[in-house]
Amino acid sequence: MRAWRTALAASIVSFALVACGSGESPSGSSGASGAPAGPWTFTDGSGEVVKTDKVPTRIIAHAGEAAALISFGIKPVGVYADEPVKTDPNLKNLDLTGIEILGEEWGKIDVEKAASLRPDLIVADWWPAEKAHSGLEEGVDEKSKKLAELAPVVGATQGKSILELANGYEALAKSLGAKVDDPAIAANKKRFEESVTAFKAAVATKPGLTVLAMSPADDKVYVANPEYAPELLDLQSFGLKVINPDAPDKGFPYWENLSWENADKYQPDLILWDGRSFTPTANADWGKKQPTWFKIKAAQAGAAIAWPAYWMHTYGDFATELDKLSTAVKAADENIGA
């Protein structure tokens, strides 16, 4: 159960991210050209202030955080992921040439290989509910935790919105010398803004539409609690009626855990399906495995669309996923759950 629990981990607490630096870039940097030489100060999402004499240039990053840095022109020397990089939604479309892959399974990081890269910074999200950074939470391989002994660990907190998270990594990238006003970055921001406008317009045409974010498993159906899911909070702020479950698990409030017998406790018009690779995506297949899945009217009608659960870190990725959701909203019937 721990493996499932950690695979689904997400959290929301206030965002704290401040960074500053000055000077010139040292040679051999893995980051953007023109990076300041130092000193460098950064306030991690945990609240810890990290100080170094020089601006870090040899960076190891967790998958989503690596994608964020790469989007700002900063190339890590190493990356560790929670699944194969070919399927990780953050990494599968990126050029990882020259980047060492240090792990492709949650909780397992090749620390020896990581040490050989001589990192001076580890970049990983801070999860307040877990009180740990990505890949270093309770339950991971104890050897993997030694990654934190190689260099300071910093990252943005998984906060109240994906936009806030993206802004946080923009601030980190800027402190490392990235030119965040680059036209390509501006273009992604503009595309995101256009996608938000289109999504709001689609939602406005279906004022009664209700949706439920779910993650089916062999033993239970997990109903996401938007309070602990930044992307769902964003969708709510854009006007979508994402249902808040009324009985989240007290020990792990990201989810309300339903037995398959009670899979139909909620009747949304549209199901947002956990889109991560470890969750099968065939609605019909779940109906074959668990017939009570089809007690949910939306499942019976095939009204289900992938939900980008807990992985997005960039403006571009969010824009792409919003466009898909806009299409699903336009096609949805707001009377299915009635």
Side-chain angles (χ1 to χ4, degrees):
M1 187 62 190
R2 172 65 193 174
W4 178 259
R5 175 181 181 272
T6 51
L8 297 176
S11 61
I12 175 173
V13 173
S14 61
F15 171 79
L17 188 62
V18 182
C20 63
S22 62
E24 296 295 326
S25 174
S27 61
S29 171
S30 64
S33 62
W40 185 77
T41 301
F42 195 87
T43 302
D44 177 51
S46 66
E48 179 183 357
V49 177
V50 177
K51 298 180 180 180
T52 60
D53 293 336
K54 297 180 179 179
V55 172
T57 61
R58 299 188 61 80
I59 299 167
I60 289 173
H62 185 242
E65 299 81 308
L69 292 177
I70 291 170
S71 76
F72 293 111
I74 294 178
K75 187 175 182 178
V77 296
V79 168
Y80 61 98
D82 298 337
E83 61 179 287
V85 296
K86 291 183 179 180
T87 62
D88 190 299
N90 293 288
L91 301 174
K92 62 182 181 181
N93 295 319
L94 295 180
D95 179 7
L96 302 179
T97 304
I99 299 176
E100 288 286 346
I101 306 304
L102 304 173
E104 297 184 83
E105 180 182 351
W106 183 87
K108 294 187 181 299
I109 303 169
D110 189 335
V111 177
E112 273 192 27
K113 185 186 287 187
S116 73
L117 298 176
R118 298 175 289 107
D120 49 17
L121 189 69
I122 313 294
V123 175
D125 289 346
W126 172 255
W127 300 90
E130 301 283 324
K131 292 184 173 57
H133 290 91
S134 294
L136 303 174
E137 305 96 328
E138 178 186 351
V140 306
D141 188 284
E142 286 300 316
K143 292 181 180 178
S144 297
K145 290 185 179 181
K146 293 185 180 296
L147 180 73
E149 298 176 7
L150 302 181
V153 184
V154 299
T157 302
Q158 281 277 349
K160 295 181 180 179
S161 95
I162 298 301
L163 180 57
E164 195 170 85
L165 191 67
N167 286 340
Y169 282 106
E170 180 174 347
L172 174 58
K174 184 176 182 180
S175 80
L176 295 170
K179 296 178 180 179
V180 299
D181 57 352
D182 183 273
I185 295 170
N188 270 332
K189 285 186 177 180
K190 186 173 186 287
R191 186 163 70 91
F192 168 75
E193 291 165 359
E194 291 171 346
S195 295
V196 171
T197 298
F199 182 79
K200 289 180 177 178
V203 170
T205 67
K206 302 285 176 68
L209 184 74
T210 59
V211 303
L212 188 68
M214 307 182 75
S215 191
D218 289 336
D219 58 341
K220 290 182 178 66
V221 180
Y222 295 85
V223 176
N225 180 8
E227 184 181 352
Y228 287 84
E231 63 283 348
L232 296 181
L233 284 175
D234 280 333
L235 299 184
Q236 287 182 332
S237 74
F238 300 155
L240 189 64
K241 293 181 179 177
V242 184
I243 296 170
N244 289 65
D246 55 30
D249 182 76
K250 292 182 180 179
F252 203 69
Y254 308 121
W255 308 89
E256 177 175 355
N257 308 329
L258 300 178
S259 66
W260 276 104
E261 290 74 18
N262 295 315
D264 62 340
K265 177 178 178 179
Y266 303 99
Q267 288 290 350
D269 300 310
L270 177 66
I271 295 170
L272 301 184
W273 183 291
D274 188 338
R276 288 171 292 178
S277 64
F278 58 79
T279 306
T281 56
N283 185 59
D285 287 348
W286 273 110
K288 293 175 183 176
K289 292 180 66 174
Q290 300 286 354
T292 54
W293 176 246
F294 285 141
K295 290 169 66 178
I296 308 171
K297 297 175 185 178
Q300 180 65 46
I305 178 81
W307 152 45
Y310 306 123
W311 63 265
M312 295 183 297
H313 284 71
T314 68
Y315 306 110
D317 282 337
F318 202 0
T320 298
E321 296 302 321
L322 270 180
D323 290 344
K324 295 176 185 177
L325 291 173
S326 291
T327 300
V329 168
K330 290 176 183 177
D333 180 351
E334 57 187 325
N335 298 306
I336 285 179

